[in-house]
Amino acid sequence: MSKMKSLRQWLMAITLMSSASMVLSSCIRDEALNAEADITSIILDSTQIKPIGEPVITNDEVKVYVNGWDDLTKLSPSFTLTPGATIDPANGTVRDFTQPQTYTVTSEDGNWSKKYTVSFLSNDVPTDFSFENVRQYKYVDEWDPEADSLFYQIFYDTIDGTTTDWGSGNAGFMITDDDKNNPASYPTQQSDNGYKGKCVKLETKSTGALGKMFGAPIAAGNLFIGDFVLDISSPAKSTHFGRPFRKEPLVLTGWYKYKAGSVFTDKNMNELKDRHDSCDIYAVMYEATDDVPYLDGTNIKTSKNIVSIAEAKEWKETDNWTFFLIPFKAVNGKTFDAAKLASGKYRLAIVMSSSRHGADFEGAVGSTLYVDEVHVYSKGDF
């Protein structure tokens, strides 16, 4: 693939995945004028339902978190679209959202359309994770439909008939990867060699010249409860950690294997011979507020909204499956408010990374972490 074509695909991928939140150069915008088909926000009748936190809007999904007692059978949402686009069914159409519903957005010029799945979610985050379930994400280049489709894996869990996806940085890595249609080339993927059955494999990868140009020379393999919403101006803010959880977590357990890469580099790709890479597996329970609706890569361990955290100070390299048990510890003596727990005001995030400082783009290419059979034990489970 030529350098020019790589750059062109990078610009196209950004336009598709995050046209609602980024501004590209005027020439790119001119080419894409009236050819966008995106949902940028959702508008709900407050007399019908009051969501928990902000809705999550990605390239092809809209997820709204609600309380379990809310009536979802006759909702009539409206959507803000990119200029000139239309939506089917029309804004304000009454639908039964006890199951996810599909909408089709068509660009103003009529040449492009995109299907969105809109879900209202009331179930808590699952507490058992075996990483047996993945599906392929397929990306079709609307500017070059004859080109190979691009694939990566999305991990998911199903509880009480509701499917919940894990977040990862694969969508961002796709922009810089020269082998985009090969799931095995991505930092986050499934492996057959689990502690039991299959597992998640996380590997720190180079993002090449393009990634280095934008101050993101490596991509740590990562998997987290939450959503990846690409923010090219601040890549660390692309990870939106956490989902509503109505229990008080006590312990995080699981199994892991880890091998660090040989050369540790900083965000400028300078080798730091006195540094050695480490993996990271931790969980955070925090209060979501109007000012802080979610935590991201810049504040996941430092935010004042954190109530408790399960974090190990050190992770050893090991070729054998090794058990871990990490208790949740209160931050600054904080306690949980029972009413806020019941109404879904707190969010739980579990985060795994092949490079502990990957959010700062520091680490060693080749660092590889395997994780399996993760469990969160909560108050009342014993």
Side-chain angles (χ1 to χ4, degrees):
M1 181 180 297
S2 69
K3 182 178 180 180
M4 182 60 68
K5 187 174 181 181
S6 296
L7 181 59
R8 176 176 171 274
Q9 287 191 337
W10 174 76
L11 291 170
M12 290 177 178
I14 289 177
T15 303
L16 283 175
M17 290 190 292
S18 54
S19 60
S21 61
M22 294 183 298
V23 177
L24 301 178
S25 66
S26 61
C27 61
I28 298 300
R29 278 298 185 192
D30 289 342
E31 290 179 6
L33 188 61
N34 301 323
E36 294 174 330
D38 299 317
I39 290 176
T40 60
S41 68
I42 180 172
I43 304 167
L44 301 166
D45 184 345
S46 60
T47 64
Q48 291 183 310
I49 196 169
K50 187 173 182 179
I52 299 172
E54 290 186 350
V56 176
I57 302 175
T58 57
N59 186 49
D60 55 5
E61 285 188 306
V62 178
K63 289 182 282 190
V64 183
Y65 296 99
V66 296
N67 286 301
W69 55 81
D70 287 326
D71 183 4
L72 306 179
T73 59
K74 295 180 180 179
L75 299 182
S76 52
S78 295
F79 303 91
T80 303
L81 312 174
T82 43
T86 57
I87 191 167
D88 182 37
N91 278 335
T93 300
V94 177
R95 306 185 79 180
D96 182 353
F97 282 93
T98 54
Q99 296 294 325
Q101 298 293 325
T102 300
Y103 288 80
T104 300
V105 180
T106 302
S107 62
E108 184 179 30
D109 64 7
N111 292 327
W112 315 109
S113 63
K114 185 191 300 184
K115 291 187 181 297
Y116 277 86
T117 300
V118 180
S119 304
F120 285 73
L121 306 173
S122 60
N123 290 325
D124 276 349
V125 172
T127 54
D128 286 292
F129 311 101
S130 296
F131 309 108
E132 300 291 330
N133 302 320
V134 295
R135 68 175 187 273
Q136 302 282 30
Y137 175 80
K138 182 178 181 181
Y139 167 79
V140 179
D141 189 339
E142 293 182 359
W143 283 269
D144 190 6
E146 301 299 322
D148 291 337
S149 296
L150 313 180
F151 295 90
Y152 58 82
Q153 294 176 330
I154 297 175
F155 285 84
Y156 68 91
D157 295 286
T158 300
I159 180 171
D160 297 332
T162 299
T163 297
T164 302
D165 292 343
W166 285 80
S168 81
N170 278 347
F173 184 78
M174 180 177 68
I175 296 168
T176 64
D177 188 14
D178 284 335
D179 193 15
K180 296 177 176 63
N181 60 342
N182 177 14
S185 73
Y186 287 83
T188 300
Q189 56 184 275
Q190 190 180 60
S191 171
D192 292 331
N193 302 314
Y195 176 74
K196 290 183 180 179
K198 298 179 180 180
C199 67
V200 59
K201 176 185 177 183
L202 307 174
E203 182 179 354
T204 301
K205 304 266 191 177
S206 169
T207 58
L210 190 58
K212 185 177 180 180
M213 182 172 65
F214 284 90
I218 65 167
N222 63 10
L223 193 70
F224 58 90
I225 290 177
D227 301 279
F228 184 89
V229 182
L230 185 64
D231 185 340
I232 196 65
S233 64
S234 179
K237 293 183 178 181
S238 299
T239 47
H240 295 188
F241 295 117
R243 293 203 175 100
F245 193 64
R246 295 170 176 82
K247 298 179 182 179
E248 183 178 339
L250 299 177
V251 177
L252 176 70
T253 68
W255 295 82
Y256 84 103
K257 295 192 297 182
Y258 183 66
K259 181 67 175 179
S262 58
V263 179
F264 189 99
T265 58
D266 63 15
K267 63 181 180 180
N268 297 313
M269 289 303 288
N270 297 315
E271 181 178 355
L272 303 180
K273 293 186 178 182
D274 60 335
R275 299 279 298 276
H276 191 71
D277 209 0
S278 171
C279 65
D280 210 4
I281 305 170
Y282 60 95
V284 171
M285 189 78 164
Y286 68 92
E287 181 181 355
T289 61
D290 291 341
D291 293 336
V292 186
Y294 56 82
L295 302 186
D296 58 41
T298 67
N299 61 0
I300 183 60
K301 291 184 180 181
T302 60
S303 172
K304 294 180 180 179
N305 286 47
I306 297 173
V307 180
S308 67
I309 185 169
E311 181 183 19
K313 292 183 178 179
E314 182 180 4
W315 292 92
K316 296 181 179 180
E317 293 186 64
T318 172
D319 294 326
N320 301 313
W321 282 106
T322 302
F323 181 72
F324 64 85
L325 184 154
I326 314 171
F328 280 82
K329 295 182 178 180
V331 175
N332 296 327
K334 291 184 179 181
T335 59
F336 289 96
D337 181 287
K340 290 180 179 179
L341 270 177
S343 60
K345 297 296 184 182
Y346 296 105
R347 294 197 169 201
L348 175 68
I350 299 174
V351 185
M352 296 167 261
S353 176
S354 54
S355 292
R356 180 186 288 265
H357 299 285
D360 298 321
F361 307 105
E362 295 184 344
V365 172
S367 293
T368 304
L369 170 66
Y370 296 86
V371 185
D372 202 6
E373 302 303 317
V374 173
H375 189 91
V376 176
Y377 292 95
S378 301
K379 193 173 183 179
D381 288 347
F382 303 97

